[in-house]
Amino acid sequence: MNSDISKFYEKGWQERLQILAEECKLSEEELDILKSLKPLDFSTANLMIENVVSVFALPLAIATHFKINGRDYLIPMAIEESSVVAAACKAAKIARLAGGFKAEATEQIMIGQIQIFTKGNKEQEIIEKVNTSKKMLLERANACDPVLVSFGGGARDIKIRRFDDFIVLHLLVDVKDAMGANAVNTMCEKLALEIERICDCRIGLRILSNLAVYRIAKAQATFPKKILGEAVDAVIDAWHFANSDQFRACTHNKGIMNGIDAVAIATGNDFRALEAGAHSYACLNGKYKPLTRYWKDKQGNLVGEIELPIQVGIVGGSTRVNPMAKLCLKILGVKSAKELACVLASVGLAQNFAALYALATEGIQRGHMKLHAENIAVQAGAKGAEIKEVALRMVEMKSVNEATAREILKEIRKGV
Ligand code: NAD
């Protein structure tokens, strides 16, 4: 597959679909899902959540130019915010000049937490009982999910953390190609009964932690000096701002999640889990920090790196239930949750680099303006060809707001 498609944004809808179908070997049926613009029927939607009355649509776009670990990817992104996809493509195109992204991910280990109350100085006794029963407890946990075990996953270890009047048992589970929340929650509920029995203690919560510190993805890319020029230093300065100031770091990381969430949504993954994990990881050492870092290599090129927990699956959840998510996974062509984590980390880095590059040079508003102006035109009541005309005049006047849009619309309708 070749993702280095020139000017995909200038092509018409049918041509974009045709390129996608050829590159990703989509069937007629799969193309029809994309063409229908109605990707989810009521009965499927009604299986996914409660009280369904309709489905909610988001634009689905394809990010081009991505090369990750030597392989080209066309990356589906579902998002309502303009400029995010364009920014990802631009960053991927620049990174590609130096070989693209190099990404890696750990095993897919999730943490399940069981809260055990230790009233009456029973703490040490409970810890000893848990430790001596560890093998049996892991076997009991694995008995909950023979399918996961058959794929080489399952409960791997138990760790204990102490608090004032309770301890927390961490059950570490390799969830393989699943996101794993249901799998881990089921194991925790089962295990809690066993612990209650062997330790004669009161159990509190039994639930997954989204702070997935054992499920980390990293990506790195070089952005050549010959393209960036003085912006190499400007991006590093912009990163220093985020590294020093939590107010900036928050928005810095929000930009990273723009890309990660968009791919997560397109592939039917739980973006709230990713968000919770990422922001919690960002302040793991007590101070909220950027999830990326930048430096110069010996040749003066900019090198960027990202590291964060990525908890996503290619099975389970809605990844196979939602036909559009299933199709997006096919477009991506990922073969494992680990590979998907590498893609997400790379997209997060691309998104962050593009934002810093724009912010440190021309600012982000110019790039944002065209589509934003069109949105404002629609908000002011423009229809059909009026939308582009109103947007164009607002950008030329450097006054993009609803009042200006209304004035221009009046003029257009008067034939001015
Ligand atoms: P799941 O239970 O639908 O699927 C996972 C199961 O698929 C595994 O337990 C296993 O039995 C089976 N499986 C088949 N092939 C597999 C393979 N190759 N690798 C691994 N497992 C395989 O879903 P899940 O992934 O356990 O849970 C994800 C869902 O849980 C998401 O929809 C998420 O929104 C939701 N959820 C999240 C949270 C949270 O993040 N805090 C809490 C509760 C639920």
Side-chain angles (χ1 to χ4, degrees):
M1 180 216 277
N2 171 30
S3 72
D4 200 22
I5 303 165
S6 172
K7 302 209 161 116
F8 193 65
Y9 54 90
E10 282 184 358
K11 303 193 191 301
W13 184 29
Q14 295 306 324
E15 200 183 346
R16 288 181 195 165
L17 286 176
Q18 200 187 328
I19 293 171
L20 195 61
E22 277 166 21
E23 292 296 341
C24 304
K25 315 238 172 329
L26 303 185
S27 66
E28 281 302 319
E29 213 180 1
E30 286 165 335
L31 256 184
D32 285 344
I33 298 177
L34 294 172
K35 284 181 189 163
S36 75
L37 297 175
K38 287 191 201 106
L40 202 55
D41 57 39
F42 175 78
S43 54
T44 313
N46 204 38
L47 277 178
M48 292 166 69
I49 61 167
E50 310 77 25
N51 297 2
V52 172
V53 291
S54 189
V55 292
F56 184 90
L58 278 177
L60 176 72
I62 299 293
T64 51
H65 304 300
F66 273 87
K67 190 188 267 293
I68 303 167
N69 294 337
R71 215 208 100 178
D72 276 26
Y73 290 87
L74 286 169
I75 302 189
M77 301 177 80
I79 186 164
E80 86 296 344
E81 188 177 342
S82 58
S83 303
V84 170
V85 178
C89 297
K90 184 176 175 180
K93 198 172 174 181
I94 298 175
R96 199 180 173 88
L97 297 170
F101 298 84
K102 288 178 187 50
E104 60 183 45
T106 59
E107 294 308 310
Q108 307 300 288
I109 305 281
M110 294 297 284
I111 301 168
Q113 298 193 292
I114 302 174
Q115 182 189 24
I116 306 167
F117 291 100
T118 52
K119 231 169 145 187
N121 293 332
K122 281 180 69 176
E123 184 180 283
Q124 202 47 40
E125 190 190 323
I126 293 173
I127 291 173
E128 272 162 28
K129 279 189 179 158
V130 166
N131 282 335
T132 49
S133 318
K134 198 169 181 176
K135 191 165 171 285
M136 179 274 286
L137 290 171
L138 292 174
E139 279 167 8
R140 290 288 152 88
N142 283 331
C144 297
D145 202 336
V147 176
L148 178 61
V149 173
S150 75
F151 280 98
R156 293 283 183 260
D157 201 2
I158 284 172
K159 290 186 189 296
I160 300 287
R161 297 173 62 236
R162 295 166 192 248
F163 295 87
D164 278 352
D165 53 359
F166 62 89
I167 57 173
V168 176
L169 180 151
H170 275 194
L171 178 67
L172 309 194
V173 185
D174 185 343
V175 296
K176 287 287 161 191
D177 288 324
M179 181 270 178
N182 284 325
V184 170
N185 288 343
T186 307
M187 287 184 183
C188 285
E189 290 192 3
K190 175 78 184 168
L191 219 54
L193 296 174
E194 209 62 56
I195 291 164
E196 199 170 25
R197 188 182 63 78
I198 59 173
C199 300
D200 186 26
C201 57
R202 190 162 74 82
I203 300 288
L205 303 191
R206 299 136 294 158
I207 179 79
L208 171 101
S209 168
N210 290 106
L211 180 50
V213 290
Y214 304 112
R215 196 176 186 177
I216 300 297
K218 289 184 192 176
Q220 201 183 90
T222 298
F223 304 96
K225 187 185 171 195
K226 66 172 190 267
I227 304 294
L228 267 56
E230 288 173 4
V232 169
D233 290 313
V235 170
I236 293 172
D237 288 344
W239 174 79
H240 272 297
F241 181 4
N243 197 41
S244 310
D245 176 20
Q246 181 170 358
F247 283 88
R248 174 63 207 137
C250 175
T251 315
H252 178 105
N253 289 343
K254 188 271 180 186
I256 291 171
M257 300 313 288
N258 274 343
I260 291 180
D261 286 352
V263 186
I265 294 170
T267 54
N269 272 291
D270 185 336
F271 63 95
R272 289 87 52 206
L274 284 159
E275 287 278 346
H279 294 293
S280 189
Y281 195 68
C283 57
L284 198 59
N285 296 323
K287 187 165 186 287
Y288 188 90
K289 287 284 185 181
L291 292 161
T292 52
R293 87 194 164 88
Y294 292 87
W295 66 92
K296 263 195 271 192
D297 69 10
K298 282 188 189 129
Q299 291 75 40
N301 300 308
L302 179 72
V303 185
E305 187 180 71
I306 188 168
E307 176 181 321
L308 78 171
I310 297 276
Q311 40 204 305
V312 287
I314 60 163
V315 297
S318 74
T319 57
R320 302 282 167 109
V321 182
N322 183 335
M324 190 57 102
K326 202 171 153 194
L327 180 49
C328 286
L329 281 167
K330 172 160 180 187
I331 291 169
L332 261 178
V334 288
K335 299 281 181 292
S336 65
K338 205 180 206 182
E339 189 182 353
L340 181 56
C342 289
V343 170
L344 286 173
S346 303
V347 172
L349 176 60
Q351 215 67 60
N352 182 241
F353 161 74
L356 295 188
Y357 185 27
L359 283 168
T361 52
E362 62 177 16
I364 56 164
Q365 283 311 82
R366 204 170 73 92
H368 256 296
M369 249 344 133
K370 194 175 148 284
L371 279 178
H372 176 61
E374 288 180 9
N375 284 330
I376 297 284
V378 172
Q379 221 166 279
K383 303 225 161 19
E386 291 172 346
I387 300 170
K388 281 208 180 317
E389 183 60 27
V390 171
L392 197 69
R393 290 199 200 182
M394 279 196 293
V395 172
E396 275 168 6
M397 289 165 70
K398 294 199 169 63
S399 174
V400 181
N401 59 58
E402 203 173 318
T404 310
R406 284 185 194 285
E407 284 306 312
I408 297 171
L409 197 56
K410 264 193 225 154
E411 286 171 10
I412 292 174
R413 288 180 179 169
K414 273 195 242 151
V416 181

